Amino acid sequence: DGFIIYLSAHASYLYQYISNEESTTYADMTKSNWIGITSTRDGLAYAIEKRGYIWRYHVNTWSVSYSLKSRWSTISSNYNGTYIYAAATDDKIYVSIDDGDTWTVSYSKVNLWSSISVNNNGIVYACDTLGRIYKSIDSNTWNKVYTSTNLWTSISNSDNEIAYAVTYNGNVYSYQIINSPTASPTVQTSYRFQ
């Protein structure tokens, strides 16, 4: 069946690699300051750029899905595309539940968002550059679940509720709530780059 990989390059083009054709092709887009990209199992892709646009790739065409006057910092979708989240630097978190046709505010807290990750169950984690990690299980209610002095740069979560976060200084942390949703989280350093 093959697979499709989307790559974005800062101040460059978006690329599409299709394994069954073994070719790398330019996506039908102009050069821009791309920040991030995510895709779903049915081949939809969403890319964010500094100028405030979310682009959507659908039926072999790229088009603007949403425009914001702030600069996007992160984007994530779950595998089947039921949830697509995007956050802007010094702005809010937005969600689309209709393949990017409409976007609404999911979390109205203005923050220095650095990364967001949604799993296949719709559980989403977001981190900021001020050491905080937030979580939502329904896209409407957000809770701060961890605070530290770390400068978080990226976060990823799995379907079994383990989140991994990377810091600017080279640490990788794992975050997990064990046994009870009201229990204190277990946070440990998973790896330290030398």
Side-chain angles (χ1 to χ4, degrees):
D1 289 333
F3 58 88
I4 299 173
I5 298 173
Y6 294 98
L7 304 167
S8 67
H10 182 68
S12 187
Y13 296 96
L14 288 176
Y15 297 89
Q16 180 184 54
Y17 175 80
I18 303 173
S19 70
N20 57 359
E21 294 177 12
E22 295 186 7
S23 65
T24 303
T25 58
Y26 287 108
D28 186 22
M29 298 195 59
T30 59
K31 191 173 183 179
S32 189
N33 287 314
W34 301 109
I35 303 299
I37 193 165
T38 188
S39 63
T40 66
R41 72 174 175 199
D42 18 343
L44 293 174
Y46 303 87
I48 55 174
E49 56 150 315
K50 271 189 182 178
R51 295 181 302 165
Y53 296 108
I54 297 177
W55 291 83
R56 174 177 54 187
Y57 182 74
H58 179 63
V59 194
N60 299 321
T61 304
W62 283 97
S63 60
V64 173
S65 172
Y66 191 68
S67 175
L68 183 72
K69 293 192 184 199
S70 294
R71 188 178 76 185
W72 295 110
S73 59
T74 180
I75 191 165
S76 178
S77 65
N78 61 349
Y79 181 69
N80 59 14
T82 52
Y83 293 99
I84 308 151
Y85 285 89
T89 303
D90 204 18
D91 207 317
K92 304 171 185 116
I93 294 176
Y94 296 80
V95 64
S96 176
I97 57 172
D98 58 6
D99 293 330
D101 287 338
T102 59
W103 291 83
T104 58
V105 173
S106 172
Y107 191 36
S108 61
K109 181 174 178 62
V110 173
N111 210 339
L112 296 172
W113 302 110
S114 57
S115 184
I116 197 163
S117 176
V118 58
N119 70 16
N120 290 327
N121 302 319
I123 297 169
V124 61
Y125 284 87
C127 61
D128 64 25
T129 58
L130 303 173
R132 299 173 296 215
I133 296 175
Y134 297 82
K135 176 183 175 183
S136 175
I137 60 172
D138 61 6
S139 82
N140 295 312
T141 306
W142 286 80
N143 295 303
K144 183 173 20 172
V145 293
Y146 188 69
T147 302
S148 72
T149 58
N150 293 314
L151 180 99
W152 302 115
T153 58
S154 185
I155 195 163
S156 178
N157 69 327
S158 63
D159 290 341
N160 63 359
E161 290 261 6
I162 299 175
Y164 295 92
V166 178
T167 64
Y168 180 74
N169 66 357
N171 288 329
V172 178
Y173 289 85
S174 62
Y175 170 93
Q176 184 175 25
I177 295 178
I178 308 220
N179 297 328
S180 165
T182 59
S184 296
T186 299
V187 179
Q188 60 189 16
T189 304
S190 296
Y191 188 77
R192 167 86 175 135
F193 289 96
Q194 301 300 324

